[in-house]
Amino acid sequence: MCTRVFWNGNQLAKLAGRSMDWPESTEPLLIAFGAGRDRDGGKLLDQVVIADNPLRWTSRYSSLITSVYGLGTVDGFNERGLGVHALYLQSTDTGPRDPARPGLHTGLWAQYLLDQAATVDEALALMDDVQLVMVGARGRDATLHLAIEDSSGDSAILELAGGELVVHHGPQFTLMTNDPSYDEQLELLAAHDFSHPSRDLPLPGNVNPVDRFQRAAYYQALLPEPGTERQAVAGVMAIMRNVSVPFGAPYGDFGVYNTEYRTVSDLTHRIYYFELTTSPSVIWVEFDKLPFGPQPVAINPYDDSLTGNVTDRFTPSDIGF
């Protein structure tokens, strides 16, 4: 599940919010990777998942990310202000493997772009010669689509249909949830003018992806020009809370995944805000003060002692990807 909202229309900061909805804990870690890290897009930890012509690279940029199961990246941004957010999309279809093209498994898709691109344009160019390959973990396939944005306000949505990359590129593409495909989501949104809210406009209240998409559009349109950075972050975080699912909500046949956490990426000032649903405290990290180096450093947001600015709480990590 999950929701992403990009607020690029205010004068203070370019802010990207996301919620993580899943039926169990994703065991998130906040990890800071330094530039110069070698990666193999054909390996899932020590397991080879693409044997023929895997994509390999050395990271150009440092990044601050949230991991999933310790296997890959689902959220974060890099030193140049490129943000990436991986959300679930059941209809994702990577198509048959073509060994003539370098293969990149979907669990490292977000990290590859953070490692190598400074802007949305550069990230899209990176995809020209790469083939995404489906990978599974914990009994579920990483059927993902990506929302990317940069500190200039540019944005793009990337999906895979029939093995082909489908891209919606432009600063107007600020919202993303899950199924159906983005084309269909935009058609459904156009049927109601949620971008011009009024007190009499009926507002979808369900937790399914279509209702969350439309509700996010409504509340994003209500955001006033902020007077401070704190107000700007509060505005985006309020939307992410609005589209969240109560913790512990049953999913079963209803298909509802509760919200584990929410994040806001300030791409202008390079500050990362993280709110664990079961914690009373929002924590944040100042990217420019992190001790980037050859070895990653990390924190576990389930550490109950974390509160406020946790930049100095990162410690060396042996994370494997």
Side-chain angles (χ1 to χ4, degrees):
M1 294 299 167
C2 315
T3 304
R4 172 264 200 172
V5 174
F6 182 36
W7 191 18
N8 54 4
N10 74 84
Q11 301 302 309
L12 284 181
K14 302 297 185 278
L15 301 169
R18 78 86 49 85
S19 60
M20 169 57 81
D21 304 344
W22 203 237
E24 62 187 12
S25 173
T26 62
E27 302 171 15
L29 295 174
L30 275 61
I31 307 169
F33 289 116
R37 186 173 179 83
D38 294 329
R39 299 193 198 271
D40 188 330
K43 283 188 176 181
L44 186 66
L45 297 184
D46 293 330
Q47 179 185 359
V48 175
V49 292
I50 304 175
D52 297 324
N53 194 16
L55 179 70
R56 296 186 176 96
W57 70 93
T58 300
S59 61
R60 299 176 61 192
Y61 303 115
S62 56
S63 59
L64 172 63
I65 65 96
T66 298
S67 66
V68 55
Y69 297 136
L71 302 175
T73 296
V74 292
D75 196 71
F77 64 91
N78 68 16
E79 65 182 84
R80 297 297 297 274
L82 178 77
V84 179
H85 319 276
L87 278 64
Y88 181 78
L89 184 70
Q90 186 175 6
S91 62
T92 295
D93 179 6
T94 58
R97 175 74 177 115
D98 176 8
R101 301 173 64 193
L104 170 65
H105 76 70
T106 48
L108 285 181
W109 187 9
Q111 190 62 52
Y112 173 59
L113 299 184
L114 290 176
D115 282 350
Q116 302 300 86
T119 65
V120 170
D121 282 335
E122 289 185 12
L124 295 178
L126 286 171
M127 298 308 303
D128 289 344
D129 300 317
V130 173
Q131 182 183 30
L132 273 298
V133 178
M134 188 64 67
V135 68
R138 303 291 179 91
R140 296 182 176 90
D141 287 338
T143 54
L144 303 174
H145 58 165
L146 296 189
I148 61 177
E149 69 277 327
D150 63 36
S151 57
S152 77
D154 198 9
S155 177
I157 308 299
L158 288 68
E159 296 184 342
L160 290 157
E164 298 297 324
L165 187 66
V166 179
V167 177
H168 297 264
H169 181 196
Q172 70 272 31
F173 300 116
T174 59
L175 307 173
M176 190 170 84
T177 55
N178 315 108
D179 294 87
S181 69
Y182 204 70
D183 284 326
E184 294 178 68
Q185 287 277 25
L186 292 177
E187 290 178 5
L188 292 168
L189 183 66
H192 305 278
D193 196 7
F194 293 112
S195 61
H196 293 84
S198 73
R199 59 183 290 176
D200 299 319
L201 180 64
L203 188 62
N206 210 315
V207 293
N208 64 61
V210 172
D211 280 21
R212 284 186 283 111
F213 194 104
Q214 297 178 353
R215 196 158 66 251
Y218 180 94
Y219 282 101
Q220 184 184 41
L222 285 177
L223 290 175
E225 182 63 33
T228 64
E229 295 165 27
R230 186 169 183 172
Q231 290 177 6
V233 172
V236 176
M237 189 64 82
I239 297 176
M240 306 325 301
R241 291 167 179 154
N242 185 283
V243 297
S244 293
V245 181
F247 183 78
Y251 62 100
D253 294 335
F254 190 38
V256 175
Y257 296 167
N258 63 198
T259 300
E260 183 180 19
Y261 62 80
R262 293 167 283 268
T263 71
V264 176
S265 299
D266 183 340
L267 304 179
T268 302
H269 305 97
R270 291 187 291 278
I271 301 176
Y272 191 60
Y273 299 86
F274 187 100
E275 182 181 56
L276 190 68
T277 301
T278 54
S279 172
S281 301
V282 175
I283 61 175
W284 61 88
V285 183
E286 297 178 82
F287 186 99
D288 295 340
K289 294 183 180 180
L290 285 167
F292 291 104
Q295 184 176 14
V297 292
I299 58 172
N300 184 344
Y302 277 94
D303 180 346
D304 290 338
S305 70
L306 297 177
T307 183
N309 189 336
V310 296
T311 310
D312 62 355
R313 298 290 301 273
F314 280 70
T315 58
S317 171
D318 294 325
I319 195 75
F321 69 89

